[in-house]
Amino acid sequence: MPQIAQLGEVYASQLFWLAIFFGAIFVVIGLGMLPKIQSTVDARDARIAADLDAARGAREAADSLEEGYRAAMDKSRAEAARLAAEAKADAARATEKKVAKADKAIGARIDKATVKVAEARAAALAEIENVAAEAAQALVGRVSCVSVDPAAARAAVAKELAHG
């Protein structure tokens, strides 16, 4: 075959041009384009890393803000509970004072009413005693036609009321 026979003659020149073209491709792509592509990839990786760092920092800041917010809310709730307890205790003390004052006023009224009732009872007993003494004196006078001394009639009625 004549093509195979020519192979030895053109082999060296083909290898030469192959080396020239591969060298040119290496220079154009390897030394010209590859560094630009690599710098773009490196810039992109650096930007992604910076964005991830910024996101991590933002998350940490948000977590610390949330923790501060929760602590402030807990403190506010505790303060509100303390103020409510104080207000409740103040209201209870004020109510106790009012009840004590009203109790004293009612006690004074009861004492006055008890004194009035005792006076009225004593007056009523004295009146009953007088009426009973007069009735006994009149009854003895009508039944026996004897006149009874008013002092003796009162003494007899007092004696009977004391026993009865």
Side-chain angles (χ1 to χ4, degrees), residues 94-110:
T95 302
E96 287 176 11
K97 286 180 182 177
K98 287 180 182 178
V99 167
K101 186 177 178 181
D103 190 36
K104 285 181 183 178
I106 290 171
R109 286 174 138 183
I110 288 174

Side-chain angles (χ1 to χ4, degrees), residues 114-130:
T114 302
V115 168
K116 283 184 180 180
V117 167
E119 289 173 355
R121 182 174 185 218
L125 283 176
E127 188 64 31
I128 288 173
E129 198 173 308
N130 286 337

Side-chain angles (χ1 to χ4, degrees), residues 1 7 11 15-17 23 29 44 56 62 84 92 98 107 109 123 131 133 144-145 152 162-163:
M1 271 193 149
L7 195 59
Y11 182 67
L15 284 178
F16 172 75
W17 286 110
I29 292 178
R44 183 172 156 240
R56 191 176 302 113
K98 287 180 182 178
R109 286 174 138 183
V131 170
S144 66
C145 290
H163 286 348

Side-chain angles (χ1 to χ4, degrees), residues 69-84:
Y69 170 75
R70 288 180 191 263
M73 288 301 290
D74 291 342
K75 184 179 178 183
S76 296
R77 283 187 189 112
E79 181 69 17
R82 184 186 64 78
L83 290 175

